Amino acid sequence: MKHILLAGLTMLLISACATSPTGRSQLMLISPDMAISESKAAYLSTVTDITREHRLVTDDAWTNRISTITGRLVTEAIRKYPGSRDWDWSVAIIDDPETLNAWCMAGGRMAIYTGIVTKLNLTDDEIAQIMGHEISHALANHTAEKMSQAILVNTGLAITSKVTDQNGYVLTGSALAAQLALQLPNSRDAEREADEIGIELAIRAGYRPDAAVSLWRKMSEAGGGGPEFLSTHPSPGNRMDTLQELGEKLESLNPSLTKSAVHPVRIVTDIQQL
């Protein structure tokens, strides 16, 4: 029986290959649409908890700044990836002065923590590099890829044992995948891909490419064992050198750094909006 399951798993892997925007081979057991659906549920759950803790930022200075920066990035994301036009582009600004983190789920649902901006004293250009990087994870279907990896792990475990949650219920399919995908870091290949796509989005949107280097320098110097953002974003030692080269290579796309139009991005200030 194990041999049959392994043979079936091998055939599934062969038929589940996709290609990323940069030409990288991806495992896709979960469709991008499924990843968006599961991410919507996860986002609702996360923002509900934050709302109950009264940690959603509604201050105009914060909301105007973040919506303008992300709106310009989204304009360029839609221009290059038209399929993202109908995504639910939204940002939750989370009041947490100690957390250095930001993320974007499949379907354009984002969050940024106040700590990453205030503790690192980020410029608009550096915020654009963070959000461009995170948006790129969604554009390149990295959520679906991580969910697929989670399903593969579950399938392998199921060959010899059952996988259960804390209440003893067996977890299968997308339910388990969604749960594990939130915990899995992106691969180094996915990080490099998000760096490449993200810095291009930022340049096209009118933000300085060298801000990617200064951002990651600030992140690496943050101390305290490394911020959460770095713990979930594995990086080779030459990342800043690579970003410098990418910036110099791509800056001709928008040498005058003309700012893009601002696409409407919903700032989540209340759970009723979701």
Side-chain angles (χ1 to χ4, degrees):
M1 178 60 70
K2 290 182 182 179
H3 292 300
I4 294 174
L5 288 172
L6 287 171
L9 179 59
T10 300
M11 292 301 296
L12 182 62
L13 293 176
I14 292 173
S15 63
C17 290
T19 303
S20 76
T22 64
R24 180 176 61 87
S25 179
Q26 292 176 293
L27 173 68
M28 284 294 177
L29 300 175
I30 287 286
S31 70
D33 287 343
M34 174 68 78
I36 290 173
S37 176
E38 295 293 342
S39 293
K40 180 178 180 180
Y43 193 69
L44 177 61
S45 175
T46 299
V47 175
T48 297
D49 290 341
I50 293 166
T51 302
R52 288 171 179 165
E53 297 165 0
H54 305 289
R55 292 196 296 136
L56 276 179
V57 174
T58 59
D59 177 74
D60 286 345
W62 273 96
T63 59
N64 290 339
R65 186 184 189 191
I66 299 302
S67 64
T68 297
I69 295 170
T70 55
R72 287 174 175 148
L73 293 166
V74 169
T75 294
E76 297 305 322
I78 292 172
R79 192 191 311 276
K80 188 164 185 180
Y81 303 90
S84 66
R85 180 177 299 278
D86 296 328
W87 284 5
D88 183 20
W89 292 104
S90 51
V91 186
I93 306 171
I94 303 172
D95 183 13
D96 188 338
E98 298 303 317
T99 297
L100 279 65
N101 203 9
W103 41 263
C104 180
M105 293 181 172
R109 298 176 178 87
M110 297 172 271
I112 185 168
Y113 294 71
T114 57
I116 200 169
V117 178
T118 57
K119 289 180 77 72
L120 301 185
N121 191 27
L122 296 185
T123 65
D124 286 3
D125 295 279
E126 290 167 339
I127 293 173
Q129 293 294 339
I130 287 178
M131 300 312 289
H133 176 94
E134 294 306 314
I135 287 170
S136 297
H137 280 307
L139 294 173
N141 293 319
H142 291 164
T143 302
E145 189 174 11
K146 286 199 296 180
M147 289 177 68
S148 298
Q149 292 166 1
I151 282 184
L152 180 61
V153 170
N154 184 31
T155 302
L157 290 173
I159 292 174
T160 57
S161 63
K162 293 181 179 180
V163 180
T164 60
D165 67 6
Q166 61 184 355
N167 297 314
Y169 294 105
V170 176
L171 298 175
T172 60
S174 60
L176 176 65
Q179 182 175 338
L180 293 182
L182 294 176
Q183 303 168 14
L184 289 172
N186 289 294
S187 68
R188 289 182 183 270
D189 286 340
E191 285 301 312
R192 283 190 288 266
E193 193 165 59
D195 280 347
E196 182 176 343
I197 298 171
I199 199 169
E200 179 178 342
L201 288 179
I203 290 172
R204 290 184 181 277
Y207 294 100
R208 295 174 59 90
D210 59 357
V213 178
S214 61
L215 164 67
W216 287 101
R217 182 178 294 113
K218 288 180 178 181
M219 294 296 294
S220 64
E221 294 173 353
E228 181 180 353
F229 193 79
L230 286 180
S231 71
T232 57
H233 291 69
S235 170
N238 66 348
R239 186 174 203 163
M240 286 187 284
D241 291 338
T242 301
L243 289 169
Q244 180 71 39
E245 293 173 3
L246 277 171
E248 293 172 354
K249 175 183 175 182
L250 298 172
E251 62 183 351
S252 61
L253 294 173
N254 187 4
S256 62
L257 295 179
T258 302
K259 293 292 190 294
S260 298
V262 178
H263 187 277
V265 173
R266 180 161 49 89
I267 299 293
V268 180
T269 58
D270 190 284
I271 192 64
Q272 300 302 321
Q273 295 174 297
L274 300 178

